[in-house]
Amino acid sequence: MVLEATMICIDNSEWMRNGDYAPSRFQAQADAVNLICGAKTQSNPENTVGVMTMAGKGVRVLVTPTSDLGKILACMHGLEVGAEANLSAAIQVAQLALKHRQNKRQQQRIIAFIGSPVKYDKKVLETIGKKLKKNNVSLDIVDFGETDDEKPEKLEALVAAVNSSDSSHIVHVPPGENALSDVLISTPIFTGEEGGSGFAASAAAAAATGAAGFEFDVDPNVDPELALALRLSMEEERARQEAIAKKAAEESSGAENKDHASSSNTDSVMAEAEPASNATADDKKDQPKDDDDAHLLQQALAMSMEEGSSGAAAVADAAMAEAAVDDQDLALALQMSVQDASMSSQSDMSKVFEDRSFVTSILNSLPGVDPNDPSVKDLLASLHGQGEQEKKEDQDKPEDEKK
Amino acid sequence: MAAAAPAAAPAAAAAPAPTVPAPQVPRGQVDLVDFVDWSGVECLNQDSSHTVVNALKQGYRDDEGLYLASDSDEQLLIYIPFMQVVKLHSALFKGPEEEGPKTIKLFSNKEHMGFSNVSDYPPSDSLNLSSNHLVENKLVQLKYVKFQNVRSLTIFVDNNQSGSDVSKIQKIALYGTTVDTTNMKDLKKIEEH
């Protein structure tokens, strides 16, 4: 949050036509400039930024330091690339522009993009640097583009001469896949001393695709509600996945024994709707059935209900109603094997389950069960298939019996 | 008007010869360190480990080990705003014989000067210190008439005694009176010390 006036020196010399930074060196530079302007004005609203060229038509100030971002972006349009960059003149002009800033309380900073070769000696650069330090001006250098054998050392010497208490920085950006602006975001040029890091971090998350350590690419500082919502839905999804995995495991182990399968089905359905099953059990006990057969049936149903059913009281009632109709068949089935009790009752259930829309509506009323949940759908499908199988068997058996 | 007699009165300097005589506050004047607006004090080209505070602040400036040093070259530009309007009478500079300041230019009421415009305006006063001044606590008289209405003072140290790359100043003291709240009774009390 340092109050600063910044002059950005753009290198628009012939060397900027090169395409080793996508799309061209000059474009990459322009993007970086835009980002920096945004960062500076965001970190402190009273900050001002100015832009000037080092080459092209000559050393010219395009925009005097202003906090109006629009002006700065507009002046970058229609810039010509050509000629050679004049670094020392540019720095002098930048110093002058900063000296005449409106708010004298602002710290002075120059950010220079140097993409063309540096023709000055180290000594000359060091004197330039000393002069800047004397006038309390900080200097940041972005060294990109042309790489002489000596360019990095020269620029390092320049920054060392200017640097007082770590306020000046230099960044070397080699050509490569990463955009110039992306590389710059993580540097102290962007992040400032400490204060600017909040913006820089969120800018990193927003601008760079490989987001810097934020979950779901959303900065909790910028958008806490969104971040929270994303996190919650992630957890819910995880829970659902685990439930599905559990069911799958159970179903696969239960496939060997149909009884077990049916019971496991009921179990898994129970997993979805446990609380309701207790209610249905209670309901069931309330139902008056005096017939022995009905009583047996009732017991069987009760057993299966307690093991687990889809659990809705309505379903139980419907099953009961149907059970009354198919009493005899059911009784026979019961006699066949006690183990099949749950199965037969399951057949009732299966009939109910056949009516998918009915089931869906039931499930809708259940707490904690989402009928659109793929796991529930799978379950219903499997129940449906199983139910049909069991039904066939039941029908076969009673028919055999009848015969 | 408190037409004060110069401070380096031998009669008042009662200390024996070997030790440096204590600076005598000129008659009718006050040490203006109390009226300095510390939030606005700035110094260009100072060494960050030897700042202007060492030379100005009460306590720091009397410590022999703490001094103000220049950084890139031997020039220094010190800006001192005051909390109210003052009149400057005299000044005291203390520093090492070799690296102490030699040529000093004073500018009154010029804000935010830079090294580039020190030669743009004529100084309100220009001092040429000798090593005597630096070592013996000799007060330097200023052109009183030029410093009648001082809101801020800019001190430009052009070079030092030996011409070395670093200028060092141990103490800067300014004496004068305040314009608004001059209380003659208070002046008398100070004089007695």
Side-chain angles (χ1 to χ4, degrees):
Chain A
M1 295 290 279
V2 186
L3 186 56
E4 246 183 5
T6 312
M7 275 304 284
I8 303 185
C9 300
I10 299 182
D11 185 351
N12 56 338
S13 59
E14 277 293 340
W15 284 269
M16 292 302 106
R17 289 191 200 275
N18 198 330
D20 50 1
Y21 296 81
S24 79
R25 284 180 185 173
F26 183 67
Q27 253 323 107
Q29 211 189 163
D31 294 337
V33 170
N34 291 340
L35 261 172
I36 291 181
C37 295
K40 292 285 177 195
T41 36
Q42 249 223 15
S43 78
N44 187 329
E46 283 188 53
N47 279 352
T48 55
V49 183
V51 177
M52 57 178 288
T53 59
M54 295 203 284
K57 284 188 182 151
V59 174
R60 294 192 301 150
V61 174
L62 298 172
V63 180
T64 53
T66 170
S67 50
D68 182 358
L69 206 54
K71 248 197 218 172
I72 299 167
L73 297 178
C75 83
M76 297 288 295
H77 280 294
L79 270 185
E80 300 156 358
V81 177
E84 275 189 22
N86 188 345
L87 183 60
S88 72
I91 290 187
Q92 279 178 320
V93 171
Q95 248 187 291
L96 203 61
L98 286 172
K99 194 165 136 209
H100 293 287
R101 63 195 186 284
Q102 284 190 319
N103 182 357
K104 300 288 181 187
R105 293 195 152 275
Q106 290 167 329
Q107 299 283 329
Q108 303 170 73
R109 180 175 291 273
I110 300 178
I111 302 181
F113 284 82
I114 304 185
S116 43
V118 176
K119 52 183 188 277
Y120 303 100
D121 288 348
K122 236 192 208 179
K123 287 271 160 76
V124 176
L125 291 174
E126 277 176 6
T127 11
I128 296 176
K130 271 194 174 172
K131 198 156 163 250
L132 285 174
K133 181 150 87 157
K134 196 169 157 189
N135 287 291
N136 203 12
V137 180
S138 324
L139 175 66
D140 290 334
I141 293 189
V142 179
D143 170 22
F144 69 113
E146 292 295 312
T147 44
D148 275 0
D149 358 292
E150 289 187 1
K151 187 177 169 196
E153 290 95 41
K154 283 183 187 174
L155 293 177
E156 292 271 1
L158 174 57
V159 173
V162 184
N163 200 359
S164 69
S165 56
D166 225 10
S167 63
S168 302
H169 318 95
I170 177 166
V171 180
H172 305 275
V173 186
E177 283 191 11
N178 302 330
L180 187 60
S181 13
D182 292 343
V183 175
L184 283 179
I185 282 174
S186 52
T187 58
I189 290 181
F190 239 93
T191 58
E193 261 90 87
E194 325 122 14
S197 59
F199 173 83
S202 58
T209 48
F214 284 114
E215 248 188 331
F216 318 122
D217 293 329
V218 174
D219 180 6
N221 296 328
V222 170
D223 200 348
E225 293 102 358
L226 181 56
L228 184 66
L230 285 168
R231 204 176 349 122
L232 285 176
S233 74
M234 200 55 193
E235 285 168 9
E236 273 178 39
E237 187 57 38
R238 249 181 256 135
R240 264 184 249 139
Q241 298 291 348
E242 283 167 21
I244 294 174
K246 221 197 304 171
K247 277 170 225 156
E250 286 175 11
E251 282 177 16
S252 63
S253 65
E256 300 150 2
N257 191 339
K258 279 195 183 156
D259 298 331
H260 289 296
S262 62
S263 57
S264 71
N265 276 337
T266 57
D267 281 340
S268 43
V269 181
M270 183 170 75
E272 291 274 325
E274 235 174 359
S277 66
N278 294 333
T280 57
D282 289 338
D283 280 342
K284 270 260 305 18
K285 282 160 191 167
D286 291 341
Q287 302 261 355
K289 291 273 177 180
D290 296 317
D291 294 345
D292 281 63
D293 289 336
H295 188 60
L296 272 170
L297 173 63
Q298 202 178 340
Q299 273 183 331
L301 281 166
M303 267 165 39
S304 74
M305 283 299 200
E306 278 154 13
E307 278 182 37
S309 66
S310 70
V315 176
D317 291 343
M320 295 298 283
E322 289 189 35
V325 172
D326 298 336
D327 218 357
Q328 211 171 16
D329 287 342
L330 285 169
L332 281 166
L334 277 171
Q335 286 164 12
M336 291 261 296
S337 61
V338 182
Q339 291 167 340
D340 289 350
S342 56
M343 225 169 75
S344 50
S345 62
Q346 189 59 23
S347 65
D348 288 332
M349 308 304 281
S350 310
K351 278 179 198 164
V352 181
F353 284 162
E354 275 168 31
D355 191 353
R356 301 206 97 200
S357 56
F358 179 66
V359 173
T360 315
S361 65
I362 299 302
L363 289 177
N364 270 328
S365 63
L366 293 176
V369 175
D370 181 3
N372 295 325
D373 194 325
S375 57
V376 177
K377 279 187 178 169
D378 289 344
L379 190 58
L380 286 178
S382 64
L383 275 174
H384 199 210
Q386 283 247 322
E388 282 177 334
Q389 266 185 325
E390 290 166 12
K391 252 187 102 183
K392 283 179 197 160
E393 286 187 0
D394 277 350
Q395 283 166 357
D396 288 339
K397 285 169 194 171
E399 282 165 7
D400 289 340
E401 287 257 315
K402 283 176 187 170
K403 287 173 189 172
Chain B
M1 201 177 84
T19 60
V20 178
Q24 188 65 10
V25 179
R27 184 179 160 150
Q29 305 301 325
V30 184
D31 190 336
L32 294 173
V33 68
D34 302 324
F35 300 101
V36 171
D37 179 10
W38 295 106
S39 62
V41 170
E42 283 171 10
C43 180
L44 288 186
N45 200 27
Q46 67 180 338
D47 186 349
S48 45
S49 45
H50 298 104
T51 58
V52 66
V53 179
N54 293 347
L56 282 179
K57 259 199 176 163
Q58 197 80 288
Y60 290 75
R61 62 186 189 177
D62 295 316
D63 186 340
E64 297 279 332
L66 293 176
Y67 53 88
L68 164 67
S70 68
D71 198 358
S72 306
D73 58 14
E74 72 280 6
Q75 293 182 334
L76 282 166
L77 194 60
I78 307 166
Y79 172 71
I80 305 172
F82 294 100
M83 290 199 266
Q84 51 169 295
V85 179
V86 295
K87 300 181 204 247
L88 283 182
H89 176 267
S90 45
L92 170 72
F93 292 91
K94 193 161 156 226
E97 261 191 271
E98 299 261 316
E99 294 107 348
K102 190 160 91 177
T103 313
I104 297 184
K105 291 189 181 162
L106 299 171
F107 301 86
S108 121
N109 295 336
K110 290 270 185 327
E111 314 243 305
H112 303 111
M113 287 186 76
F115 288 105
S116 44
N117 52 6
V118 278
S119 35
D120 289 351
Y121 336 95
S124 308
D125 200 356
S126 179
L127 310 173
N128 220 319
L129 299 180
S130 67
S131 36
N132 285 348
H133 286 104
L134 297 172
V135 176
E136 288 171 20
N137 280 328
K138 261 169 89 175
L139 282 177
V140 183
Q141 288 268 37
L142 304 176
K143 284 184 192 157
Y144 196 55
V145 289
K146 298 259 185 175
F147 294 103
Q148 287 295 302
N149 210 340
V150 178
R151 261 232 150 254
S152 71
L153 180 69
T154 305
I155 304 173
F156 172 56
V157 177
D158 206 350
N159 48 31
N160 53 40
Q161 298 288 329
S162 60
S164 70
D165 270 345
V166 178
S167 301
K168 291 184 186 169
I169 306 178
Q170 276 170 344
K171 178 173 173 179
I172 301 174
L174 301 164
Y175 299 99
T177 56
T178 57
V179 171
D180 299 327
T181 59
T182 308
N183 190 339
M184 297 307 288
K185 288 184 191 165
D186 287 341
L187 287 174
K188 265 196 185 167
K189 279 184 189 168
I190 289 165
E191 205 187 356
E192 276 162 23
H193 289 298

